[in-house]
Amino acid sequence: FTVDNNEMVLEKDITFYSVCEHHFLPFYGKVHIGYIPDGKVVGLSKLARTVEVFARRAQIQEQLTEQIADAVMQSLQPKGVMVMIEAEHMCMTMRGVKKPGSKTVTSAVRGIFETDSLARSEAMSLIKLG
């Protein structure tokens, strides 16, 4: 959709399930995607679908975070994109150190979020809002 708005759009708490390519055990959690439009916005369900496309593959969380950020950046060409993933990994819960409830947090920033600490801080504060 074409818009005149340049204000941040944030879709948060997108639930996902994936499988770690390292241990072949599940990891799951929430994805938060923020972007600053540059004339175009996307239907919100498209962000969730983007998460689903990449989460269906066996992979590592760090790569999943990067793939989502790159896909949004490429398809929308916004001023910037920020993706944060919070996930629990069954390799940490079921085997090894057995620490259920521990979360791994990854983030990827593109465009204006790389250089503008105020924009990055605003996105982080919106993600933290209950």
Side-chain angles (χ1 to χ4, degrees):
F1 303 104
T2 304
V3 294
D4 295 329
N5 181 357
N6 288 355
E7 299 301 320
M8 188 181 313
V9 176
L10 178 68
E11 181 75 13
K12 65 185 216 175
D13 296 332
I14 303 168
T15 303
F16 80 95
Y17 300 90
S18 193
V19 175
C20 175
E21 70 181 26
H22 185 235
H23 295 107
F24 290 106
L25 289 171
F27 68 99
Y28 59 91
K30 306 281 185 185
V31 177
H32 316 291
I33 304 172
Y35 70 95
I36 298 176
D38 191 13
K40 292 190 300 188
V41 293
V42 67
L44 299 175
S45 67
K46 300 299 185 269
L47 296 175
R49 288 183 200 279
T50 301
V51 171
E52 282 300 310
V53 165
F54 293 111
R56 287 187 179 143
R57 305 173 183 174
Q59 63 177 304
I60 59 174
Q61 181 175 332
E62 296 87 342
Q63 181 177 323
L64 177 61
T65 311
E66 298 279 331
Q67 289 171 335
I68 294 167
D70 290 340
V72 173
M73 198 68 184
Q74 182 178 30
S75 62
L76 276 181
Q77 298 177 345
K79 292 181 179 180
V81 174
M82 180 174 182
V83 176
M84 177 189 284
I85 298 180
E86 303 172 84
E88 184 169 349
H89 292 249
M90 290 295 98
C91 61
M92 289 282 292
T93 299
M94 298 170 54
R95 56 180 295 283
V97 296
K98 296 185 180 171
K99 298 296 179 195
S102 63
K103 296 252 168 62
T104 300
V105 178
T106 53
S107 67
V109 293
R110 303 287 184 270
I112 197 168
F113 288 107
E114 293 177 287
T115 57
D116 187 338
S117 60
L118 188 59
R120 196 167 46 250
S121 293
E122 179 185 1
M124 292 297 289
S125 67
L126 290 171
I127 289 169
K128 290 178 184 179
L129 283 177

